[in-house]
Amino acid sequence: MVHFTAEEKAAITGLWGKVNVEEAGGEALGRLLVVYPWTQRFFDNFGNLSSPSAIMGNPKVKAHGKKVLTSFGDAVKNMDNLKGTFAKLSELHCDKLHVDPENFRLLGNVMVIILASHFGREFTPELQAAWQKLVAGVATALAHKYH
Amino acid sequence: MVLGAADRTAVRALWLKLGSNVGVYTTEALERTFQAFPSTKTYFLHLDLSPGSAQVRAHGQKVADALTLAVDHLDDLPSALSALRELHAHKLRVDPVKFQLLVHCLLVTLARHYPGDFSPSLQASLNKFLSHVISALAPNCH
């Protein structure tokens, strides 16, 4: 189980408060689909994913990205119980969506890169380290119910 | 993932822009790697890893020089990096997974310093280039 210090929790929560979830969500999912094109396999019904600009401008990508990042907000609120928080979503991603958990790690890292580009100076190595713990914890929690 | 013409152009253009600062960014990437992924420190027991360490800066410059060499030899990375592969795979015996962590932290560093340039396409091209560098350093690449 991941353990967060009080400082790490405060740092993560502080930064999260400044994130535009809708924008960042679309950007994160979009970049995942551009940089790791095989991830598009889960989004056949999303329409035009033929180029980076098509992907980044795709309304379904933006909408789904927002959904994913909103759910990530639950992680920020429940850092001490990631496995419990994501139990149902883990079952969904395994049983219904059949998503390889490696994708959760990829998306987590894309999110960290986006935070770095948005928060620049503020995104210190310490802050990055705390966020890496969180995204790794979420990825593990989402993989936890796989069978 | 093939490194196409557009990827090469993008990577070369970025490297021109980074100029003589590549070492600054690779050093920051190393510091971030040690902080976020403490297991990587096990390969650097001989270095002072405290913040601002001159030894980390020196190592950062070595990494920068190697990457610049790679950018100049995109057509034949395995050959250009053969000495480094020998070193990392056979002498230092670094788990190749660790290179991915440094690559990630380098992307974080570049995104942080060049947010306006760091488009999804550039991120994709850089990721591909760095993946090729990692492959060229892997033990079974001859």
Side-chain angles (χ1 to χ4, degrees):
Chain A
M1 199 185 102
V2 193
H3 173 75
F4 295 90
T5 64
E7 291 78 17
E8 284 169 335
K9 285 184 189 175
I12 288 169
T13 310
L15 196 77
W16 187 251
K18 302 182 205 176
V19 171
N20 178 328
V21 169
E22 176 162 3
E23 244 177 54
E27 198 183 340
L29 187 62
R31 281 180 185 262
L32 181 76
L33 298 173
V34 169
V35 179
Y36 307 104
W38 56 89
T39 58
Q40 294 170 25
R41 72 194 298 280
F42 303 109
F43 302 103
D44 276 335
N45 61 344
F46 268 32
N48 186 4
L49 299 178
S50 59
S51 69
S53 52
I55 290 171
M56 300 311 287
N58 184 312
K60 283 190 174 176
V61 170
K62 290 185 188 189
H64 195 71
K66 178 183 173 185
K67 200 174 178 185
V68 169
L69 219 69
T70 301
S71 167
F72 202 86
D74 290 339
V76 176
K77 291 198 208 85
N78 294 283
M79 284 184 252
D80 290 329
N81 182 24
L82 294 174
K83 289 203 168 106
T85 303
F86 288 99
K88 282 263 164 314
L89 276 174
S90 180
E91 284 168 9
L92 175 75
H93 283 78
C94 172
D95 299 332
K96 293 255 153 37
L97 305 175
H98 311 294
V99 177
D100 175 354
E102 183 55 32
N103 293 288
F104 308 143
R105 278 168 255 288
L106 290 179
L107 182 59
N109 278 339
V110 170
M111 279 179 58
V112 169
I113 287 173
I114 284 170
L115 291 174
S117 77
H118 286 195
F119 293 103
R121 180 170 292 278
E122 228 179 307
F123 202 66
T124 59
E126 293 75 16
L127 191 47
Q128 180 188 348
W131 273 90
Q132 295 291 167
K133 259 168 106 165
L134 181 62
V135 301
V138 172
T140 302
L142 279 171
H144 188 62
K145 292 284 188 183
Y146 271 62
H147 58 93
Chain B
M1 287 183 289
V2 174
L3 204 62
D7 296 315
R8 290 160 194 247
T9 303
V11 170
R12 287 180 182 130
L14 177 71
W15 233 252
L16 267 178
K17 190 161 190 170
L18 299 182
S20 53
N21 284 327
V22 180
V24 172
Y25 303 129
T26 47
T27 298
E28 183 180 328
L30 276 172
E31 287 168 348
R32 284 178 179 274
T33 305
F34 297 142
Q35 181 101 39
F37 307 106
S39 65
T40 56
K41 295 193 287 188
T42 58
Y43 292 94
F44 293 95
L45 302 174
H46 58 292
L47 289 191
D48 162 23
L49 298 182
S50 53
S53 155
Q55 293 183 332
V56 173
R57 222 168 28 249
H59 195 74
Q61 191 55 52
K62 280 193 203 169
V63 174
D65 293 341
L67 288 177
T68 300
L69 178 75
V71 173
D72 287 337
H73 291 87
L74 293 175
D75 290 325
D76 192 14
L77 286 178
S79 174
L81 299 177
S82 63
L84 284 171
R85 176 175 63 253
E86 190 56 39
L87 177 68
H88 286 81
H90 299 124
K91 188 150 176 277
L92 303 173
R93 285 170 293 188
V94 180
D95 179 346
V97 163
K98 299 310 188 207
F99 300 138
Q100 308 268 18
L101 302 178
L102 177 58
V103 160
H104 168 66
C105 288
L106 183 57
L107 292 176
V108 166
T109 302
L110 293 174
R112 206 181 148 241
H113 288 276
Y114 295 90
D117 294 280
F118 207 73
S119 64
S121 304
L122 180 60
Q123 184 181 343
S125 297
L126 268 176
N127 190 56
K128 278 189 216 173
F129 160 61
L130 293 166
S131 299
H132 280 250
V133 171
I134 290 176
S135 298
L137 290 176
N140 51 4
C141 173
H142 286 296

